[in-house]
Amino acid sequence: MSYLHFTPAARLIASIGALLAMAVACWRLTPYLMSVAPAGDSRRGAVAVRLGLLPCILAIPLIVAFRVPNSPIEVLLPP
């Protein structure tokens, strides 16, 4: 986050805010995804998995595009 020129306190606040945002998103989305697939219905379970994985898969190109330019192996592999 050095390219944003945040102070150490601002970095801490941004990190805590991101952590809270992820927790709230999981808290709000989990009941919806669990309600899509009732127990024992594997077909609707597959729909729930697709609904949960689709945003993750679609985010990969955005994550790669906005990583700080470096060698390709450092951009494409997890940190």
Side-chain angles (χ1 to χ4, degrees), residues 13-75:
I13 291 170
S15 299
I16 291 171
L19 181 65
L20 290 174
M22 288 187 286
V24 168
C26 289
W27 174 61
R28 299 286 292 166
L29 288 175
T30 299
Y32 171 71
L33 290 174
M34 297 300 282
S35 70
V36 171
D41 190 357
S42 63
R43 183 171 178 216
R44 292 195 67 183
V47 171
V49 168
R50 277 190 233 120
L51 285 174
L53 288 179
L54 185 62
C56 299
I57 292 170
L58 292 177
I60 291 173
L62 288 172
I63 293 168
V64 169
F66 287 100
R67 297 275 313 249
V68 176
N70 224 342
S71 67
I73 198 159
E74 291 177 0
V75 172

Side-chain angles (χ1 to χ4, degrees), residues 1 7-17:
M1 292 194 318
T7 64
R11 282 189 223 167
L12 179 63
I13 291 170
S15 299
I16 291 171

